[in-house]
């Protein structure tokens, strides 16, 4: 089968390589392959565990061993990560996957896709240099996907978040991810973490009602307070990130008889953490497996059974996480208190991030062990106060 993949980042290049290994003739289109991705690069233990090729190649990375969580009023708690987050250089990771695809027989065309035409049998992919006919079309071209727009329409604003920030020359806070939550009801957070050869500071908020000037000021305030010597070394970036509601995830369709969407184009991001690389790569595996079985529509069932419930759980908890109240305090403040004083909670959250437990399993375990967590919290708080 002739397959056209639009988008040669992680999801597209990986899917192209897997499909080429199955014997398909694969064409991979991307005019911007190899460019730095504005934010992200974090790969959690569940991806490293499922995809051992991450360890085979000496891909540049930094290793995050701790998350520092801070509320709007300055209350802080540290979360150690026995299962670290690996932050990869996106150009290096994407280049590796693209070369892997080419070595597997994929034909890479560094061209912008201008239009798509369906003739009743297959697809015609139009670029500046002409048209290429394929039997099956894959959209791995991100949040502004031309394939998604053609098949099911663009994302509505309510299903998007805006990320803006700065790249800073230098590695600040090595091995630590800093998360600054904002006021109650602010659906997002400020962050800072080291990448391979620079640091990034940014902010994420639901797109609807967002004021860019306000977000930019919040980022600059954090930089001025924490990294005052980086004034002349800032590079601005902005990106939209899919952050679908539970209802949108439940009702959306990401494939048909002769087309499919992957990664960001399919809206596969955790609504709370914004993790996306794992879901991009995993969706590529699930699609290639459905094609191997000659049952392309089974991809829809496969992603829902594999990680769909987890994405829906995150979406369902998002509003409560950012705006809920517990005993006259915000949900986030109470959550950070348990992180600060309970080893049980810290262990459970590390396992959640590592993919060893689900959101639903986390909340069940928290409820079951709540008496012990409370006793542990009071004991540790008392010990810290005496010290």
């Amino acid at each position: 089968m002739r397959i056209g993949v639009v988008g040669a980042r992680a999801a597209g290049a990986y899917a192209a390589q897997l499909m080429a290994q199955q014997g398909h003739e694969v064409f991979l289109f991307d005019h911007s392959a190899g460019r730095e991705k504005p934010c992200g690069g974090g790969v959690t233990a569940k991806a490293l565990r499922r995809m051992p090729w991450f360890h085979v190649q000496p891909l540049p990375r930094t290793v995050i061993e701790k998350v520092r969580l801070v509320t709007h009023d300055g209350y802080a708690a540290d979360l150690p990560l026995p299962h670290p987050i690996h932050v990869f250089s996106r150009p290096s990771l994407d280049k590796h996957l693209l070369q892997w695809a080419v070595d597997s027989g994929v034909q890479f065309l560094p061209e912008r896709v201008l239009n798509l035409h369906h003739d009743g049998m297959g697809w015609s992919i139009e670029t500046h240099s002409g048209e290429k006919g394929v039997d099956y079309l894959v959209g791995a071209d991100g949040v502004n996907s031309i394939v998604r727009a053609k098949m099911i329409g663009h994302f509505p604003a309510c299903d998007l978040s805006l990320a803006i920030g700065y790249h800073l020359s230098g590695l600040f806070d090595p091995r630590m991810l800093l998360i600054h939550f904002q006021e109650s009801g602010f659906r997002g957070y400020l962050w800072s973490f080291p990448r391979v050869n620079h640091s990034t500071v940014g902010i994420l908020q639901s797109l609807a009602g967002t004021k860019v000037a306000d977000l930019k000021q919040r980022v600059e305030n954090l930089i001025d307070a924490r990294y005052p010597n980086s004034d002349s070394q800032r590079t601005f970036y902005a990106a939209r990130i899919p952050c679908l509601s539970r209802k949108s995830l439940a009702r959306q369709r990401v494939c048909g008889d002769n087309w499919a969407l992957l990664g960001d184009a399919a809206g596969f991001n955790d609504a709370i953490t914004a993790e996306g690389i794992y879901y991009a790569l995993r969706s590529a595996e699930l699609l290639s497996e459905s094609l191997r079985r000659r049952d392309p529509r089974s991809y829809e069932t496969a992603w829902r059974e594999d990680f769909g419930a987890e994405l829906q759980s995150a979406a369902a908890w998002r509003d409560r996480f950012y705006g809920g109240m517990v005993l006259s305090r915000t949900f986030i403040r109470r959550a950070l208190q348990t992180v600060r004083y309970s080893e049980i909670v810290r262990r459970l959250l590390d396992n959640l991030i590592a993919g060893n437990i689900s959101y639903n399993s986390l909340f069940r375990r928290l409820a079951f062990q709540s008496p012990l967590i409370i006793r542990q919290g009071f004991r540790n708080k008392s010990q810290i106060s005496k010290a």
Side-chain angles (χ1 to χ4, degrees):
M1 182 164 59
R2 287 165 63 92
I3 301 175
V5 181
V6 183
R9 295 281 188 163
Y14 189 40
Q17 177 264 325
L18 293 172
M19 291 184 289
Q21 287 189 340
Q22 293 174 4
H24 298 292
E25 184 179 10
V26 184
F27 302 93
L28 182 59
F29 300 82
D30 197 325
H31 70 288
S32 62
R35 294 183 185 176
E36 178 67 89
K37 194 172 176 70
C39 55
V43 176
T44 55
K46 60 186 174 186
L48 299 172
R49 183 171 60 248
R50 180 176 285 277
M51 300 155 193
W53 51 263
F54 271 112
H55 303 289
V56 175
Q57 296 293 327
L59 296 170
R61 73 190 76 183
T62 57
V63 180
I64 304 296
E65 298 176 338
K66 179 173 69 175
V67 181
R68 177 160 295 163
L69 304 161
V70 185
T71 65
H72 182 57
D73 58 0
Y75 186 87
D78 285 347
L79 174 63
L81 297 177
H83 301 91
I85 299 171
H86 290 226
V87 181
F88 288 83
S89 161
R90 283 307 303 270
S92 296
L93 175 59
D94 293 347
K95 181 180 179 181
H96 167 70
L97 291 171
L98 176 56
Q99 187 60 54
W100 194 6
V102 171
D103 291 344
S104 299
V106 173
Q107 299 182 51
F108 175 56
L109 293 85
E111 303 172 16
R112 181 191 295 273
V113 173
L114 303 175
N115 208 347
L116 305 166
H117 308 280
H118 188 248
D119 60 10
M121 295 293 293
W123 293 93
S124 178
I125 302 174
E126 180 185 343
T127 69
H128 284 295
S129 63
E131 296 189 3
K132 183 75 68 175
V134 299
D135 305 305
Y136 194 88
L137 178 65
V138 179
D141 44 342
V143 69
N144 297 314
S145 171
I146 188 174
V147 180
R148 183 185 180 95
K150 182 76 173 181
M151 304 311 304
I152 59 176
H154 291 292
F155 290 106
C158 61
D159 280 338
L160 293 172
S161 291
L162 178 65
I164 70 168
Y166 293 92
H167 297 312
L168 308 181
S169 177
L171 295 175
F172 304 100
D173 290 325
R175 299 188 179 277
M176 186 180 80
L177 167 61
L178 177 68
I179 299 292
H180 266 261
F181 297 106
Q182 303 299 284
E183 65 272 13
S184 180
F186 187 102
R187 290 169 57 178
Y189 53 85
L190 275 160
W191 74 79
S192 168
F193 64 87
R195 300 178 86 178
V196 172
N197 56 8
H198 66 276
S199 296
T200 180
V201 181
I203 192 167
L204 177 78
Q205 187 186 26
S206 296
L207 182 61
T210 294
K211 296 181 179 179
V212 174
D214 173 62
L215 296 186
K216 192 173 181 180
Q217 188 61 58
R218 292 174 189 249
V219 176
E220 291 174 351
N221 289 343
L222 178 61
I223 295 175
D224 291 342
R226 195 164 185 91
Y227 313 121
N229 297 323
S230 63
D231 290 334
S232 61
Q233 302 170 327
R234 304 178 185 180
T235 303
F236 181 76
Y237 65 82
R240 293 190 298 168
I241 299 172
C243 195
L244 275 61
S245 68
R246 185 174 187 177
K247 183 177 180 180
S248 295
L249 284 165
R251 70 186 181 188
Q252 79 162 348
R253 182 170 55 101
V254 299
C255 73
D257 289 331
N258 57 8
W259 65 274
L261 302 173
L262 301 175
D264 280 2
F268 295 156
N269 268 272
D270 186 299
I272 294 177
T273 66
E275 179 182 6
I277 291 180
Y278 170 77
Y279 301 110
L281 297 173
R282 184 63 183 142
S283 64
E285 292 181 337
L286 294 172
L287 175 60
S288 66
E289 180 61 22
S290 73
L291 293 176
R292 186 191 65 79
R293 294 193 303 266
R294 298 184 180 180
D295 185 11
R297 280 188 174 272
S298 67
Y299 169 57
E300 188 77 64
T301 301
W303 78 263
R304 292 185 185 279
E305 291 180 347
D306 190 275
F307 57 76
E310 189 70 354
L311 295 184
Q312 289 195 48
S313 294
W317 275 95
R318 175 177 52 187
D319 291 343
R320 279 172 278 186
F321 180 82
Y322 287 119
M325 300 294 292
V326 179
L327 299 175
S328 75
R329 291 280 193 174
T330 66
F331 182 93
I332 290 175
R333 173 61 180 264
R334 293 303 186 197
L336 264 62
Q337 286 178 320
T338 64
V339 171
R340 188 171 184 176
Y341 296 115
S342 172
E343 293 92 340
I344 293 174
V345 173
R346 291 194 291 271
R347 184 173 65 251
L348 287 173
L349 289 177
D350 170 67
N351 277 289
L352 175 72
I353 295 170
N356 297 328
I357 61 174
S358 66
Y359 279 105
N360 288 337
S361 178
L362 169 70
F363 294 123
R364 286 196 300 269
R365 296 186 189 198
L366 288 173
F368 180 75
Q369 299 188 68
S370 58
L372 180 57
I373 291 171
I374 292 171
R375 290 199 301 271
Q376 192 177 75
F378 277 121
R379 182 178 68 249
N380 290 341
K381 185 176 181 179
S382 175
Q383 291 174 348
I384 292 173
S385 298
K386 290 179 181 179

